[in-house]
Amino acid sequence: MRIRLCLAALSLAGGAGLATFSASSATATAPATTSAPAAAAACSDVEVVAARGTFEPGTLGFIVGDPVYSALKKKITGKSLSSYAVDYPANLSLTSAAQGNRDLVNHVQSQAAACPNQRFVLVGYSQGANVVDNSIGISSAGAVVGSPIVATLPAAVEPKVAAVLLFGNPIRALGKSVTGTYQSRTLDICAEGDPVCERGGGDTGAHLSYRDNADEAATFAAGRL
């Protein structure tokens, strides 16, 4: 599958940008998000909860979520693995990241209640990294396609989050990063020159390069499961 990246400037809260993906020359349409609380799925030992980038195709995300999940399946043995794609528009709406933030928190809370022994690996790419940032209490307000925090994972759920994997994280262009409770279990990768996460970056192709980091990220997560 051929993926093309298009970066454009926006006038959102003082200026922002976006990553728009198309597959086989057709624009990928993100599924509409639902307002209903996320329902718990069958229990597994580990669940990968992935938030895709803006307009990114793929089940969990062609650039990051899908390759990371595939790599993690090869890294862990003796444990069952499942996945959840965060249900949110992943578009340019001012509320898009906030909707993802709420869905991620609702889903993980539901799963944790239904499956007390389940652990989670949170994965976010580009706008999806904003979603994960917000969900662990790091605001993405003011970042590219970011939003204020609308929900955070409660303290009772926090020990169940084994790893947080972030790629092309827009808050890094603001000079921010994950600090506090989740810092030691977070891998936050910004490719050199990626304009979404590196202030002054000018290599738009770098934002598409994160499939190359799937094995590194899976190794990081597997070591914490």
Side-chain angles (χ1 to χ4, degrees):
M1 179 183 291
R2 298 174 57 197
I3 299 294
R4 183 176 70 246
L5 174 69
C6 172
L7 291 174
L10 293 178
S11 297
L12 297 178
L18 66 110
T20 302
F21 299 90
S22 64
S24 300
S25 300
T27 300
T29 302
T33 190
T34 59
S35 58
C43 297
S44 63
D45 294 322
V46 181
E47 183 176 72
V48 175
V49 179
R52 69 197 187 282
T54 306
F55 300 139
E56 184 189 8
T59 303
L60 300 177
F62 180 82
I63 300 297
V64 167
D66 292 341
V68 167
Y69 183 72
S70 295
L72 190 56
K73 284 196 293 186
K74 298 174 184 177
K75 297 286 182 182
I76 63 173
T77 57
K79 293 183 177 72
S80 57
L81 187 66
S82 61
S83 65
Y84 177 76
V86 174
D87 184 10
Y88 84 116
N91 62 19
L92 302 179
S93 164
L94 292 175
T95 63
S96 177
Q99 291 179 62
N101 173 193
R102 191 176 301 281
D103 183 75
L104 187 154
V105 171
N106 284 347
H107 174 77
V108 172
Q109 283 188 277
S110 295
Q111 281 296 117
C115 307
N117 296 320
Q118 190 170 59
R119 303 189 73 195
F120 301 92
V121 175
L122 308 183
V123 180
Y125 168 49
S126 198
Q127 184 178 173
N130 287 337
V131 168
V132 175
D133 289 332
N134 284 6
S135 300
I136 61 175
I138 309 295
S139 176
S140 67
V144 173
V145 208
S147 80
I149 295 170
V150 296
T152 55
L153 294 172
V157 171
E158 173 266 314
K160 300 176 185 292
V161 178
V164 178
L165 309 176
L166 304 172
F167 304 79
N169 188 358
I171 69 169
R172 291 188 53 168
L174 301 178
K176 296 177 62 177
S177 62
V178 174
T179 57
T181 303
Y182 292 92
Q183 183 175 10
S184 64
R185 64 192 103 155
T186 296
L187 180 65
D188 189 348
I189 301 174
C190 179
E192 184 177 358
D194 180 349
V196 175
C197 57
E198 180 182 300
R199 186 180 301 169
D203 182 0
T204 57
H207 197 62
L208 286 176
S209 70
Y210 294 107
R211 292 181 69 89
D212 297 340
N213 301 106
D215 190 74
E216 175 191 358
T219 298
F220 179 89
R224 286 155 179 78
L225 290 168

